[in-house]
Amino acid sequence: MSGLLDLINSPMGKQLVSGVAGQTGQPEGKTADVLSMAMPLLMGAMKKNASTPGGAQGLMDALSSKHDGGILDDLGGLFGGGVDQNVMDDGAGILGHILGSKQPQVENALSRKSGIDAGTVSQILKIAAPIILGYLGKQTRQQNVSSPEGLNGLLGGLMGGGKTAAKQQSLVEAFLDSDGDGSVIDDLAGLALGGGQNKGGLGGMLGGLFGK
């Protein structure tokens, strides 16, 4: 899943982790854990949403207007004086749209896995959601994606492409369609971060990524 791994390992990813940690008062390592587990879940939820013509068109419209990637141009400014309430409200709207009634289940599962309380996890997701959409918006422009099919292909590519993306997507959908205990998140994070290469567990690999 090089797309997401590249993102979280990039200067932008590190700035995101640092900014979100500062906003929520959480250690960067734990914040990175939550983000690395949440990103494949949110991407998968967006892909599930985009599997219907209406959902795909709605996402395309958002990516070509409000979420065109502009938010990424000044992450320092975004986090500089505390994240603006408009961004948090935007994030809450995105999460409500892609996760629906499963949002508390997602937040509770991430809370159990990370050891961060669910309220703070919710805050982290609200900040991350507009940034992930901005990243998608930028990718759609760079790759000239203009159709729902192209958007689905882009999301699949970010989720590793081919069998990896298909397995990832089936895990996400199983999780969103069930009342599971969140064990799926271990599998998601393992796929997202390279699976078997990660001997020290998720935190160990992220510790390496973020220079901890």
Side-chain angles (χ1 to χ4, degrees):
M1 191 164 181
S2 57
L4 282 184
L5 185 54
D6 288 346
L7 169 60
I8 209 161
N9 196 25
S10 69
M12 190 190 90
K14 292 175 182 177
Q15 195 174 9
L16 171 60
V17 170
S18 172
V20 173
Q23 176 77 16
T24 58
Q26 293 294 325
E28 288 192 16
K30 282 197 169 190
T31 303
D33 282 356
V34 173
L35 286 170
S36 66
M37 290 185 283
M39 281 182 173
L41 246 179
L42 294 178
M43 284 273 187
M46 285 177 197
K47 194 168 188 301
K48 185 180 184 196
N49 221 256
S51 63
T52 66
Q57 193 55 56
L59 187 52
M60 286 293 296
D61 292 345
L63 295 176
S64 62
S65 54
K66 186 175 184 180
H67 298 286
D68 62 357
I71 193 171
L72 306 180
D73 296 336
D74 187 20
L75 284 181
L78 174 69
F79 292 119
V83 177
D84 189 271
Q85 189 58 45
N86 289 336
V87 175
M88 299 292 281
D89 291 345
D90 186 29
I94 294 166
L95 294 173
H97 187 65
I98 62 171
L99 296 177
S101 62
K102 295 298 182 180
Q103 189 174 337
Q105 179 186 327
V106 169
E107 291 168 356
N108 287 330
L110 289 171
S111 171
R112 282 195 299 273
K113 294 293 173 191
S114 65
I116 294 178
D117 68 273
T120 303
V121 168
S122 176
Q123 254 192 304
I124 292 172
L125 295 185
K126 283 176 190 171
I127 300 168
I131 292 172
I132 292 173
L133 266 192
Y135 179 75
L136 269 180
K138 201 162 221 176
Q139 292 291 315
T140 56
R141 285 212 316 282
Q142 287 174 351
Q143 300 184 32
N144 295 317
V145 173
S146 57
S147 67
E149 296 75 27
L151 180 61
N152 260 305
L154 172 63
L155 284 162
L158 287 169
M159 295 174 72
K163 290 182 180 175
T164 301
K167 185 175 180 188
Q168 189 91 354
Q169 191 60 30
S170 67
L171 284 170
V172 170
E173 297 197 9
F175 179 65
L176 293 177
D177 290 341
S178 74
D179 294 315
D181 62 359
S183 60
V184 156
I185 289 180
D186 288 333
D187 299 327
L188 277 173
L191 273 177
L193 299 174
Q197 302 159 16
N198 180 6
K199 293 179 185 167
L202 176 64
M205 179 152 183
L206 281 167
L209 289 179
F210 294 104
K212 293 275 170 213

